Amino acid sequence: MSAAGSLLAAVPAAAVLLLTVAAMPREAGAVAPLRLAVVRAALLSGAYAVLVVEVLGASHALTRPAFAVAWLLFLVAAATAAGLRWRRAIRLGQPPAAAPVVSTASRPVTVGAVVSGGGTDVAAPAGERDEPAPAPTRAGRGPAGLLAVAVDAWRTARPGERLLAGTVGGLVLVELLVALLAEPNNFDSQTYHLPKVEHWVAQGDLDFWPTAIHRQVTIPPGAEYLLLHLRLLTGGDHLHNLVQWAAGVVCLLVAARITAQLGGGRRAQLLTAFVLATTPMVVLQATSTQTDLICAAWVACAATVVLDGLRRRTGWGTLLGLGAATGLTAVTKTSGLIAVGPLLVLWGLAQLRLARTDQSAPASPAPTDSAAAGGGRRSWSVGGLARTVGGSVLILVVAAVVVGPFLARVTAEFGHPLGPPRLRESIPMERHDPASIVVNALRIGHTAFDTPLAPLRRAGAEVIISGAEVIGVDPQDRAITFGRELFPEPAWYPDEDRVAFPLAGALAVIGAVIALARPRRIAPERAGSLRAYAVVVLTAVLLHTAMIKWQPWGNRLLLYAVVLAVPLAGLWLDALLRNRAGGRRTVATVAAVTVLATSALAGVLALSYGFPRRLVGAGSVFTTSDWDTRFLRRPQWADEFRWAATAVQDSGARRIGLVQQNDNWEYPWWLLLRQPDGGSPDLVALQSVLPERPPAAPSSVDAIVCTGNKAACAKLVPAGWRLEFRGYVGYALPPGR
């Protein structure tokens, strides 16, 4: 990466930081204000990034200068907004870095700084909290104020809390190191994520292209839009892994904030962050060019904004943020809408409740759940109802602005906003009878909770298969099973595409059950909100199992649900440590510490030995070359691609035809066949699954490169051409070359 590329890549990061300062909440009583500012900055930056791609793509201007100008303008706007916010805060005597200390409970509370996030939060009542009561954090200005908050939080934290925070911070930093050192090597990224970006760069627009890999044009491109910015600003893929790493950080911060919104104090928030940060799927995806953490981050942002709307009317700016979160989820991974939908329903019901006017008592700006549900005659406010309806429409309009252009292109190409029948029938469930849904849910649960204990895996699978046959469902039915995959499939190994999450899942299930059955036991002041949130999480999981077919790599599709559910685990663990007495408390503490230690071990092992990026052992990011790192999934292909590309380049070919199947690797060709000046190669597909996009004629190209099936390649090679093949890769050249 050139020096100019490094400087340009720093512009978006600086803009987001400045925007975080500008987005600090002005309202008193905001929970975890710094984390809320991060959410606002992330949503605004994400929506801006998507719209820049759409606007410049429509203008056929997907170029480095255009993107540099777009981000410089955004940087200026963010700096201006941050400056105005700073001056206004100083004028009012409340610097933007100050952490407001406000009680939203009906009883006296103690306030402690939260280590993760840098803000102070309203904690649980002192009588119900097994934590020290630190002195109120002093307000500060700018970096010095944030440093003072962090120092106070660390000073007042218990050793266990420091250990939790240190582990989370250490994992995040080591993940950052791996993300910077490792070349992109995710399987799907080689097939369609990264080729999609390269096609846009080569074309200069977002028009669809002939291809044998339909996922390059039919799968929502939100994550790839973000990668496109880095690709054009830096000229390569050196920083591509940082997008998912940043999404992982956002997930940690937002999950901890959700815990605070549901009544959790500092320890509960740290427990939430710890459980999530040590979940192997999160650890591995945080250094990847997959898309699941990005989707989970947008869903989590929607969730935390919705929770803010349970106890106060939502302002127009927040409505825009909620619309942006919905649109960003839809344009990144439509499965995330399975959770966003119930969240929006919860928000709408809460806003309708707040639209009722209490005629016996004045309204409180931030009531507790008990106060909000208190007695008194209540009547509907016409203005409140209109505002709720208008807000709902605004959310949908903003979401449509973000995802609408992509859906319009898909509809125009395939006649349906969800793409061709091949896509609509491959992943979504095709049977929805109760028996099929139950079998699908059991198989998804079996894969999600898989462990290295093979006898346990086999026994569980046999029970599910036998039970399915008893109720008349084929457990391998293609209508409820992806492709030609067969259940069961081991998922315990730390692989970024399929690793299970038995510990985080089990803790989340226990937390959800307690939150539904006895919410006051773990959140006395937020029992109503906690139960409502648990219902939403449960609904999302049930909808997922009713709508998405079982598949061996289905665990990563559930990542958004894991991020939403882990706060319930953090709250329950905190209550377990807080509410036990005598010998029972000792047993509970030992059990909790054992589970947390095991979770930490799983996270460390995933980071150290996980696949396909690891710290130690064969394939280590420290000992493996850049090129070989890209092929850790298929090491035997590394030399084959180089062999074919060298032969084609030596022939002097300029226009090169591609022959491949739906799941073949295309991205290596974009790297190996680049022009001498670094420009994109002229690669054209000789096959196409898009009816309106015919492929190029084999006679129109100077050379052909092939992957996968030699016979399929031979059918497209013109007569008289020389065809060479080595295992997975081949090439063909005309006579005389």
Side-chain angles (χ1 to χ4, degrees):
M1 183 170 58
S2 65
S6 300
L7 290 174
L8 288 176
V11 172
V16 173
L17 291 176
L18 288 169
L19 196 58
T20 301
V21 174
M24 287 292 290
R26 300 177 183 178
E27 63 272 17
V31 176
L34 181 57
R35 276 171 276 170
L36 176 57
V38 170
V39 169
R40 292 173 174 177
L43 291 174
L44 182 55
S45 301
Y48 179 78
V50 169
L51 294 177
V52 164
V53 172
E54 292 289 358
V55 171
L56 294 180
S59 305
H60 304 281
L62 297 181
T63 63
R64 187 180 196 182
F67 274 68
V69 170
W71 277 110
L72 288 172
L73 290 175
F74 192 69
L75 177 64
V76 172
T80 302
L84 293 174
R85 174 75 177 92
W86 192 279
R87 286 195 293 271
R88 182 180 183 277
I90 292 176
R91 186 171 65 251
L92 296 177
Q94 182 191 16
V101 179
V102 180
S103 169
T104 58
S106 58
R107 295 183 275 180
V109 298
T110 58
V111 181
V114 176
V115 174
S116 59
T120 56
D121 296 306
V122 177
E128 299 176 10
R129 223 169 54 108
D130 188 22
E131 298 180 5
T137 304
R138 63 181 181 272
R141 298 184 178 184
L146 295 178
L147 179 61
V149 169
V151 169
D152 283 345
W154 189 262
R155 177 178 56 82
T156 59
R158 287 182 169 183
E161 294 172 343
R162 295 180 181 179
L163 182 60
L164 292 173
T167 302
V168 172
L171 285 172
V172 169
L173 290 177
V174 177
E175 289 163 5
L176 174 60
L177 177 64
V178 175
L180 290 171
L181 291 178
E183 302 299 315
N185 60 1
N186 172 262
F187 194 102
D188 284 348
S189 296
Q190 306 282 6
T191 300
Y192 69 96
H193 290 309
L194 300 185
K196 186 185 302 186
V197 174
E198 295 301 324
H199 276 286
W200 293 333
V201 173
Q203 297 177 172
D205 57 40
L206 300 175
D207 290 346
F208 291 162
W209 52 89
T211 178
I213 304 173
H214 75 87
R215 291 175 294 173
Q216 291 183 358
V217 296
T218 57
I219 298 292
E224 291 88 344
Y225 281 176
L226 303 181
L227 295 178
L228 176 61
H229 286 268
L230 289 178
R231 168 65 177 86
L232 287 171
L233 293 176
T234 66
D237 60 9
H238 313 287
L239 302 182
H240 279 8
N241 292 332
L242 293 185
V243 176
Q244 280 258 112
W245 177 82
V249 173
V250 171
C251 286
L252 293 177
L253 295 177
V254 177
R257 183 172 192 265
I258 290 173
T259 305
Q261 290 172 291
L262 296 175
R266 178 170 62 198
R267 183 174 61 192
Q269 295 170 56
L270 286 172
L271 287 167
T272 295
F274 181 88
V275 172
L276 186 59
T278 55
T279 300
M281 179 66 78
V282 175
V283 171
L284 293 169
Q285 288 233 359
T287 62
S288 172
T289 47
Q290 262 293 6
T291 63
D292 304 286
L293 264 181
I294 300 172
C295 174
W298 299 136
V299 173
C301 287
T304 195
V305 174
V306 164
L307 287 177
D308 279 338
L310 297 189
R311 297 172 14 249
R312 62 165 59 93
R313 297 310 304 267
T314 301
W316 297 111
T318 304
L319 289 172
L320 294 175
L322 193 51
T326 304
L328 288 168
T329 301
V331 81
T332 300
K333 212 174 189 73
T334 50
S335 58
L337 294 177
I338 294 174
V340 173
L343 285 167
L344 292 178
V345 171
L346 175 62
W347 172 85
L349 293 175
Q351 292 295 296
L352 287 175
R353 177 181 61 81
L354 293 171
R356 300 183 68 182
T357 305
D358 190 340
Q359 297 182 352
S360 64
S364 171
T368 63
D369 286 351
S370 58
R377 289 191 305 110
R378 305 178 69 89
S379 62
W380 290 107
S381 164
V382 175
L385 287 173
R387 182 176 177 180
T388 300
V389 173
S392 302
V393 172
L394 179 60
I395 291 171
L396 296 178
V397 169
V398 173
V401 169
V402 175
V403 71
F406 168 70
L407 293 181
R409 288 193 297 276
V410 172
T411 304
E413 189 73 29
F414 302 104
H416 195 287
L418 297 182
R422 181 177 185 177
L423 177 63
R424 301 199 304 271
E425 296 169 2
S426 61
I427 297 178
M429 287 274 285
E430 297 177 80
R431 291 181 56 179
H432 297 92
D433 56 287
S436 296
I437 293 175
V438 168
V439 172
N440 194 55
L442 291 174
R443 294 183 305 164
I444 289 175
H446 180 274
T447 305
F449 288 87
D450 190 25
T451 69
L453 303 176
L456 180 62
R457 180 190 313 117
R458 287 195 296 268
E462 290 172 1
V463 169
I464 293 173
I465 292 173
S466 300
E469 294 172 349
V470 168
I471 61 178
V473 177
D474 179 3
Q476 314 298 351
D477 186 354
R478 297 304 102 188
I480 62 174
T481 305
F482 180 87
R484 299 181 180 179
E485 305 300 327
L486 295 177
F487 173 83
E489 182 74 20
W492 65 269
Y493 185 78
D495 183 300
E496 66 175 356
D497 285 336
R498 64 179 63 197
V499 63
F501 34 82
L503 286 176
L507 292 173
V509 168
I510 296 172
V513 170
I514 300 299
L516 290 170
R518 301 183 65 182
R520 293 188 181 279
R521 181 175 177 180
I522 57 180
E525 300 296 327
R526 294 287 180 268
S529 298
L530 177 60
R531 178 175 283 164
Y533 182 78
V535 168
V536 167
V537 173
L538 177 62
T539 300
V541 172
L542 293 178
L543 287 175
H544 185 101
T545 60
M547 298 174 67
I548 305 295
K549 293 177 179 178
W550 175 86
Q551 48 194 284
W553 45 88
N555 287 342
R556 65 181 180 82
L557 302 183
L558 274 169
L559 192 53
Y560 72 90
V562 173
V563 173
L564 290 185
V566 164
L568 302 176
L571 288 164
W572 173 71
L573 284 171
D574 181 62
L576 187 70
L577 297 173
R578 184 180 68 230
N579 294 334
R580 301 301 184 188
R584 295 176 62 191
R585 176 169 184 167
T586 301
V587 173
T589 301
V590 171
V593 170
T594 301
V595 170
L596 293 174
T598 306
S599 182
L601 178 62
V604 171
L605 289 177
L607 187 58
S608 301
Y609 296 98
F611 197 72
R613 290 165 305 281
R614 56 177 50 169
L615 290 174
V616 297
S620 167
V621 295
F622 297 114
T623 60
T624 308
S625 69
D626 293 348
W627 185 250
D628 288 335
T629 297
R630 296 180 185 275
F631 287 86
L632 285 175
R633 286 283 188 191
R634 300 291 188 272
Q636 67 275 19
W637 294 351
D639 290 337
E640 294 176 6
F641 269 98
R642 270 184 165 166
W643 161 76
T646 299
V648 169
Q649 286 179 321
D650 290 345
S651 73
R654 299 186 63 83
R655 182 174 167 86
I656 304 165
L658 282 173
V659 178
Q660 55 195 359
Q661 287 76 58
N662 183 57
D663 203 31
N664 289 10
W665 285 21
E666 179 182 314
Y667 186 58
W669 299 125
W670 291 97
L671 297 175
L672 291 168
L673 298 175
R674 281 191 179 178
Q675 302 293 337
D677 61 357
S680 298
D682 187 6
L683 290 175
V684 295
L686 302 185
Q687 311 139 288
S688 179
V689 294
L690 277 66
E692 303 300 322
R693 310 277 174 173
S699 59
S700 68
V701 300
D702 304 322
I704 296 174
V705 292
C706 310
T707 51
N709 191 298
K710 180 179 179 179
C713 181
K715 291 179 181 179
L716 292 169
V717 174
W721 284 39
R722 175 169 55 93
L723 174 62
E724 301 284 346
F725 231 90
R726 279 191 188 176
Y728 178 76
V729 179
Y731 70 90
L733 294 173
R737 285 187 179 268

